[in-house]
């Protein structure tokens, strides 16, 4: 069925709003991993985006970040709610996100009551009636998410213990093995893990360790956030003689060979600058304009390596698109972290459609709290739908007879199909 100019907006928005998406990067955990699964109003309000926003307003003589961290989560949530939602209008994307989450759950009236009374008790009571094992699937159903990909760190004892115990992971959660320690070159921590688990404290021992964790987790890709200024460089040929290998050596001698041998993509998140304001803790990270020579060199030097990539700086987005046009082993995805705002999603998605067609994945949530799936996908669908509407109208004006089936096919690719096809290459 052909779609004309007058009907394209409604058709696109309907398809984009109703499609089941693949969320290819989150920080979520299964209910079986106990407190690692974050959900509910207190976790929403104490998310690090909102903590950073709080301290834009609170003077240090009233409350310091260290004093704030010493409070219970309930107390922290109460402060953020009163400061950012009662004393101020929740205009920021992070604040609006909380409002949208409650709306999607049918709790707008409870939010208005909490706002009027400056008391979250009635909302907390609603969440207290839910169980994690029931709540997670409910959120996925409302958000229309097919499955989410987790972030799983074998070097983190609070995470690895659950995997060692073979706790159940439901099919709506897929693992991704995260190895930032290797790119950072944190050999001291790596060595402790190798020694504790009975592996040789060598590069060969590290290779066996990562391979064994792949067998345990069954990840669909490997991943890491690159440290500031990270570049590829020549590694020593005598790898076992290296006492303290750095990040580039571990990338080239451990990660890349494993990824190619195990046929796993390597996902890189590029552009974070850690601890810009250490006093804020997790909320204190920033960004930098990264040198994407790393991506160019990886894709050209290792043509059998599949690379997934996203960048944090808006200034890197155009170069990333150009690289994706030049290398078939590079797939770019999502609007990460500081780019996950409607205005930037709009700009970046327009550029990617114009340069890449449907050969990219338009979004991922990066959610740390289960509830965030509700707002991040709701907001993104709206913006991406508007971008596609504009591009389809341009195409129709150029003489193309657009069909509903084409819109459906394109949406399926952009919201997960292109990612799955890339992994299957």
């Amino acid at each position: 069925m052909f779609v004309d100019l007058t009907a394209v907006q409604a058709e696109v928005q309907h398809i984009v709003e109703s499609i089941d998406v693949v969320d290819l990067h989150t920080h979520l955990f299964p209910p079986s991993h106990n407190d690692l699964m974050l959900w509910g109003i207190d976790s929403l309000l104490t998310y690090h985006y909102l903590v950073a926003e709080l301290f834009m307003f609170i003077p240090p003589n009233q409350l310091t970040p260290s004093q704030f961290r010493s409070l219970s989560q309930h107390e922290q949530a109460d402060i953020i709610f009163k400061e950012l939602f009662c004393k101020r209008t929740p205009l920021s994307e992070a604040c609006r996100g909380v409002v949208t989450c409650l709306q999607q759950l049918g709790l707008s009236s409870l939010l208005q009551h909490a706002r009027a009374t400056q008391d979250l008790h009635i909302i907390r009571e609603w969440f207290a009636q839910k169980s994690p094992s029931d709540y997670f699937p409910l959120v996925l159903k409302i958000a229309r998410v097919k499955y989410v990909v987790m972030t799983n760190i074998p070097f983190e004892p609070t995470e690895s213990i659950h995997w060692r115990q073979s706790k159940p992971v439901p099919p709506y959660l897929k693992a991704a093995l995260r190895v930032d320690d290797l790119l950072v070159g944190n050999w001291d921590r790596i060595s402790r893990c190798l020694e504790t688990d009975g592996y040789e404290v060598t590069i060969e021992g590290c290779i066996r360790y990562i391979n064994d964790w792949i067998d345990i987790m069954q990840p669909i890709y490997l991943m890491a956030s690159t440290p500031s200024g990270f570049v590829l460089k020549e590694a020593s040929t005598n790898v076992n003689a290296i006492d303290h290998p750095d990040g580039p050596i571990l990338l080239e001698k451990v990660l890349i060979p494993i990824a190619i041998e195990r046929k796993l993509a390597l996902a890189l998140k590029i552009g974070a600058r850690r601890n810009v304001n250490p006093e804020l803790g997790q909320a204190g990270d920033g960004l930098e304009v990264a040198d994407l020579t790393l991506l160019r060199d990886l894709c050209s030097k290792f043509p059998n390596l599949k690379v997934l990539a996203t960048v944090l700086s808006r200034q890197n987005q155009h170069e990333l698109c150009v690289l994706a046009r030049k290398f078939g082993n590079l797939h770019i995805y999502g609007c990460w972290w500081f780019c996950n705002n409607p205005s930037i999603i709009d700009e970046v998605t327009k550029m990617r459609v114009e340069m890449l067609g449907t050969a990219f994945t338009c979004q991922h949530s990066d959610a740390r709290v289960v509830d965030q799936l509700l707002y991040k996908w709701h907001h993104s669908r709206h913006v991406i739908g508007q971008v596609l509407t504009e591009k389809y109208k341009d195409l129709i004006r150029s003489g193309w007879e657009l069909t509903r089936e084409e819109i459906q096919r394109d949406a399926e690719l952009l919201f997960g199909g292109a990612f799955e096809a890339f992994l299957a290459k």
Side-chain angles (χ1 to χ4, degrees), residues 303-323:
N304 294 326
L305 175 68
K306 290 181 285 191
V307 181
L308 295 159
T310 192
V311 292
L312 192 50
S313 173
R314 178 172 170 266
Q315 283 77 4
N316 282 131
Q317 298 292 347
H318 185 243
E319 183 181 0
L320 181 64
C321 280
V322 173
L323 286 172

Side-chain angles (χ1 to χ4, degrees), residues 36 48 57 105 152 193 195 203 237 256 281 283 320 400:
L36 293 179
H48 67 84
F57 300 110
L105 292 167
N152 308 106
C193 291
E195 192 170 23
I203 285 183
T237 55
I256 293 173
L320 181 64
W400 187 260

Side-chain angles (χ1 to χ4, degrees), residues 51-81:
V51 172
E53 196 166 325
L54 173 71
F55 284 100
M56 293 192 298
F57 300 110
I58 297 291
N61 62 354
Q62 181 179 332
L63 182 70
T64 67
S66 60
Q67 290 170 335
F68 178 80
R69 286 193 293 272
S70 72
L71 301 173
S72 70
Q73 190 185 48
H74 269 36
E75 291 171 323
Q76 292 176 359
D78 285 339
I79 291 171
I80 288 175
F81 183 67

Side-chain angles (χ1 to χ4, degrees), residues 268 270 292 295-296 307-327 330-334 348 351-352 355-356:
L268 296 177
I270 301 170
L292 297 189
L295 272 183
R296 185 196 66 196
V307 181
L308 295 159
T310 192
V311 292
L312 192 50
S313 173
R314 178 172 170 266
Q315 283 77 4
N316 282 131
Q317 298 292 347
H318 185 243
E319 183 181 0
L320 181 64
C321 280
V322 173
L323 286 172
R325 286 178 61 89
K326 305 306 171 186
F327 296 102
L330 174 62
H331 183 85
I332 65 179
Y333 69 95
V348 170
M351 177 170 58
R352 289 175 177 173
M355 297 184 72
L356 305 175

Side-chain angles (χ1 to χ4, degrees), residues 326-344:
K326 305 306 171 186
F327 296 102
N329 58 335
L330 174 62
H331 183 85
I332 65 179
Y333 69 95
C335 296
W336 175 36
W337 200 345
F338 300 117
C339 285
N340 198 350
N341 293 311
S343 59
I344 301 179

Side-chain angles (χ1 to χ4, degrees), residues 1-13 15-16 353 358 385 387-411:
M1 182 182 74
F2 293 115
V3 181
D4 62 23
L5 274 174
T6 60
V8 66
Q9 181 171 356
E11 200 69 60
V12 170
Q13 209 62 46
I15 289 172
V16 168
V353 170
T358 57
V387 170
L388 290 176
T389 296
E390 179 183 324
K391 294 304 171 188
Y392 284 132
K393 284 184 176 180
D394 289 343
L395 188 60
I396 292 169
R397 292 187 186 102
S398 293
W400 187 260
E401 293 185 332
L402 182 70
T403 69
R404 188 187 188 283
E405 291 72 25
E406 287 173 321
I407 299 171
Q408 182 72 37
R409 179 192 61 196
D410 295 345

Side-chain angles (χ1 to χ4, degrees), residues 86-146:
C86 298
K87 293 183 180 180
R88 296 168 180 86
T89 306
L91 284 172
S92 74
E93 180 66 4
C95 284
R96 177 185 166 225
V98 176
V99 177
T100 298
C101 286
L102 296 175
Q103 177 200 52
Q104 293 289 295
L105 292 167
L107 304 182
S108 292
S109 61
L110 298 189
L111 173 60
Q112 296 312 315
H113 181 274
R115 175 187 174 192
T117 60
Q118 297 193 23
D119 189 341
L120 292 166
H121 177 72
I122 192 169
I123 298 177
R124 287 179 175 135
E125 280 189 338
W126 186 90
F127 280 102
Q129 297 170 11
K130 307 297 179 186
S131 70
S133 58
D134 292 334
Y135 187 68
F136 206 143
L138 172 66
V139 169
L140 292 173
K141 182 179 179 180
I142 296 172
R144 295 176 301 287
V145 175
K146 190 187 307 181

